[in-house]
Amino acid sequence: MKRKSVSYAKWGYIFLAPFFIVYCIFALYPLISTFYNSFMDYVVDRSTVGGGWGTSSASTAKETISFIGLDNYKDALSSNETLVQSFWNTVIMWIIGFIPQIAVSLLLATWFTDLRLKIKAQGFFKTVIYLPNVIMASAVAFLFTCLLQKNGALYSFFEPIAGKDLSLLDKVWGARGTVGFINFLLWYGNTTILLMAAIMGIDPGLYEAAQIDGASPSQTFWKITMPLIRPILSFVLVTSMIGGLQMYDVPSLLTKDNGNPSGKVMTLIMEIQQRKDSDVGKACAVCVIIFIVSAILGVITMIGLDDTKDKKKKKRRKAA
Amino acid sequence: MAKLKRVLAGALSLCMVGSMLTACGSSSSSDDAASSSKKADSSKADSSKAGDSSAADSSSEAPKAERMNTAELHGKDSSDKSKNTLRIYCWNTEFKLRFDAAYAKGGKYKVETASYKDDKGKELTEIKKIDGKDIEWVQVENEGGAYQKALDEALKGQKDSDNKVDMFLIEADYALKYTDSKDTDYSGLVALSPQDIGITDDDTKNMYEYTKDAVRDPISGDVKALSWQATPGLLYYDVAMAKEVLGTDEPDKVQEFVKDWDAFKETAKKMKDKGYIMLSSFADTFRVFGANMTAPWVTDKKLNLDPQMEAWIKQTKEFTDNGWNNKTDQWQPAWNADMKKGAKVFCFFMPSWGVDNCLYKQGGDEAKGKWKACVGPAGWFWGGSWLCGAVDSDNQDIVADIMKTMTCNTDVAKFLIDSVGEMVNNKEAVAQAKDSYKNEFLGGQNHIALMSESADKISLKGKISAYDQTCVEKLQGDMAEYFKGTASYDDCLKKWKQDVKAAYADLDVG
């Protein structure tokens, strides 16, 4: 029998295999076991190390594991737990950071790509804008702790706002604002670069045509730029939202893991980190909740910003 | 085409969700058996757990099980590299500095040294090799339980690892976790019994009893860890402020102004009138109250707030509202700054190790003569560090000699007194220092003599549990808001209970 063509497909699969193997071991399996453990009453006794030297074979700390169905979820969402509060904390701090981030990024991206402005030394500015993102979040959080704590450089500057002998971090909105501000600082550069790439992908002819027709800059922005970068905008929104839900290092370091004042800066991942060594079942339940919420948010955003609807409309118009 | 794509995408995502759910279902059914067997295990553990209270009240009781020789190899044999390396887990350089300086004064092994500069540019010598074997210090931050976590991981894997931990340090706040074998089957065993590696009762005869009682394994009755220090606390006051405000800087006379909490308060008022501040942080008096607690933080898995702690909260609130403390947080830069020359804070409660580790470390040579010590309003102590040999260590001879040299040798103890003013865990050395010792940093005062009076009275019995570090750190962190006036007492207490519950889900926090 004569072969008609050579199949290269198997090489594709072979080269793909390492990713899938790694993914299965380090992502898929933990994901499944997280789901599984979230239905368990899984509590570790941390008062002992459990070296396993003794006559019995138990080599880990004492654990009690039994199936309890949805109780972890009920507990996690009940009002005497802090988890619901932590969820709202996370969302609020994300919004505080995201709104200025997207506004500033859009503004900068438009300026840098504007044909009439012709800003010089763009490479320099782009690098400077992007720089904060290069620094580790933990380093920035530590820097702000140093600045804002007692005897810190900005302590007395903020004292009129925070109150006598208080740091900005002692106030709920001060601490939340600081977390949001740090996130804004770290990520607006990244977003600016993304949006610039999107804007530069737009046909310059459209801008020229708009200019000739006498459109004002704000008109070009709202009527040309915004609709055409929508896919990238939705990408930025979704990734930022998922990143925001996983907010951990900055609030944790700023509040020394306490999430104070009054637990109002505690985020969901901080809750998980606190519980994971002992209250494994509930920590898993929180993970699953985050997973589900991320998925829902993602789907909503995708639907909301999907441009296929417009295309459909256009098609219909054409048909008509 | 677009439609086809959508259908395809939909089908694929359905597949994914489907596979996820099937995985869920099958694994939970297959694991039912596993979980029920584990359940059986745990119920067995429960029944034998009757005596497994977290309190240290069992030291006087008779051993509950036959001794086992902890020096035997239990797990996998180690690699050559591990045999040629001495791995020591610690959370700061306190012991390393003592070891580098003092081991050669009494140790039997040959050491190779190298010099290095510390962060202040001071030339120091460190021991690189002992008996031809490298020393590896694994240093992990103590705060937030990070050290415990790292150590637990290492000790849990010790049995199956070919790279063995040889020695580790523990602190009073969590000593029980590593010294209590937990069960008659020794399931909690992680530390070598010194007697199994050749350290006799005679070697440890000069130690203060409490340093042995606190780390006695209720299961075997063995002392599981040895300490080179005793940790009675004193009140260190600023000489110049005492002279200006109280009219005297003599320790005996200053003591009259701080002899109990009422007098202490009066003095705080006087200090404020003259523009000084009595204390630095909210937590400065914490350990004075904590050392006099009537019950441990956790008894029989139940969390309780001791009346002494309530007293601390009440007093600190009063001090904060009246401006008698500087509203700093312990261990933070602002607290450290209050120890420097020229700061406005009058006094610090410090345990024996605080003079070298805090007052001298922060103040430096500039602060020489700034501080003097008196007993203060109550007798107290703060923690202490112990040395443990790890079970299955592949350098047990060296570990034994280090423990013996650093904690039992009287010459080394005397050297530690003279060089760093350490309150050593050696009654003989302390008795000699009582008459002759002078601490240069404290303006020639003999604070060892002051401390030796209270060292005999220290008892950790019924005061420590394996959960202390978290309870203490969280209480201080959460109560800070009450002191600052940004949250109510009840809210802070509730937050504290939630935090402890999150860290230890099996506790009843009430």
Side-chain angles (χ1 to χ4, degrees), chain A residues 300-316:
Chain A
I300 291 174
T301 328
M302 292 307 276
I303 293 171
L305 292 164
D306 200 351
D307 52 358
T308 46
K309 265 188 236 152
D310 294 346
K311 273 182 194 156
K312 249 187 229 162
K313 263 186 222 157
K314 262 179 217 162
K315 259 185 204 163
R316 243 177 259 142

Side-chain angles (χ1 to χ4, degrees), chain A residues 36 52-53 165 170 258 262 278, chain B residues 31 159 189 327 481 495 505:
Chain A
Y36 171 64
W53 310 107
D165 279 334
D170 291 328
N258 281 324
S262 308
S278 178
Chain B
D31 274 63
K159 199 172 189 175
L189 179 72
K327 296 181 186 163
E481 277 188 84
K495 176 78 174 27

Side-chain angles (χ1 to χ4, degrees), chain A residues 36 45-47 49-50 52-56 82 149-150 165 170 256 258 260-262 274-275 277-278, chain B residues 31 149 158-159 178 182 185-187 189 301 326-327 333 392 467 474 478 481 484 495 498 502-503 505:
Chain A
Y36 171 64
D45 177 0
R46 289 178 67 206
S47 67
V49 183
W53 310 107
T55 42
S56 77
T82 49
Q149 73 189 1
K150 206 174 158 93
D165 279 334
D170 291 328
K256 299 187 188 70
N258 281 324
N260 284 340
S262 308
Q274 279 203 344
R275 282 154 209 269
D277 296 313
S278 178
Chain B
D31 274 63
K149 216 174 273 179
Q158 176 94 327
K159 199 172 189 175
Y178 301 95
K182 278 280 160 187
D185 64 357
Y186 288 91
S187 62
L189 179 72
K301 305 248 171 223
N326 204 15
K327 296 181 186 163
D392 263 19
Y467 308 91
K474 293 292 180 193
D478 290 334
E481 277 188 84
K484 287 172 186 169
K495 176 78 174 27
Q498 282 169 340

Side-chain angles (χ1 to χ4, degrees), chain B residues 67-68 70 170 178-181 186 189-194 196 212 215-218 220-226 386-389 391 403:
Chain B
R67 280 205 77 244
M68 68 183 279
T70 54
I170 51 174
Y178 301 95
T179 56
D180 184 345
S181 295
Y186 288 91
L189 179 72
V190 288
L192 289 168
S193 293
D196 288 338
K212 293 192 260 184
V215 291
R216 203 182 288 276
D217 181 4
S220 64
D222 288 355
V223 173
K224 302 292 282 187
L226 301 176
W386 280 262
L387 297 173
C388 288
V391 171
M403 285 170 82

